[in-house]
Amino acid sequence: PMECTSTCRGFQRHLRRALRHAFAMNEITPAGESGKSVGMTRPFSYTRTARKLLLHTGKAMWIFGTTMIVLAVPLIIEMDREQQLMEIENQQMGVLSGGPVGGAPAASSS
């Protein structure tokens, strides 16, 4: 087997210290040391569930909102500009031809 250098031993020392800290903070519970029987779960908490739901809903709304700002709003603005240009062109064609374009035929007076 390879011999461990001082860097390797330092890494192992830090890893052991981090694992001891994690066990002490109950972030990781070794198998058989939890004090709970296997299959036991945390009791249902309405506040925890509501908080998680609110957090995920907020994230979804942020994604939806930024997507609308980036994609939909410029599209709506461009469609409005196109509509205005079409109206201006129709007015100009009406002035040049002497009557409304695409409108009803002028009533004859007989």
Side-chain angles (χ1 to χ4, degrees), residues 39-82:
M40 292 283 291
T41 59
R42 183 186 296 190
F44 184 76
S45 169
Y46 286 107
T47 56
R48 182 172 178 264
T49 304
R51 187 178 306 135
K52 286 178 75 174
L53 179 66
L54 204 60
L55 178 68
H56 291 295
T57 304
K59 286 180 182 179
M61 290 304 295
W62 172 257
I63 292 169
F64 178 76
T66 53
T67 302
M68 290 299 290
I69 289 171
V70 170
L71 298 176
V73 171
L75 177 66
I76 292 169
I77 291 171
E78 188 61 33
M79 289 172 58
D80 187 45
R81 284 183 187 164
E82 184 70 24

Side-chain angles (χ1 to χ4, degrees), residues 8-43:
C8 179
R9 277 180 263 152
F11 176 74
Q12 288 175 344
R13 190 173 339 132
H14 288 296
L15 183 61
R16 281 193 300 271
R17 185 179 304 147
L19 287 174
R20 277 196 307 266
H21 179 71
F23 288 140
M25 299 298 293
N26 287 328
E27 294 173 1
I28 300 173
T29 305
E33 295 183 16
S34 65
K36 299 178 183 177
S37 64
V38 177
M40 292 283 291
T41 59
R42 183 186 296 190

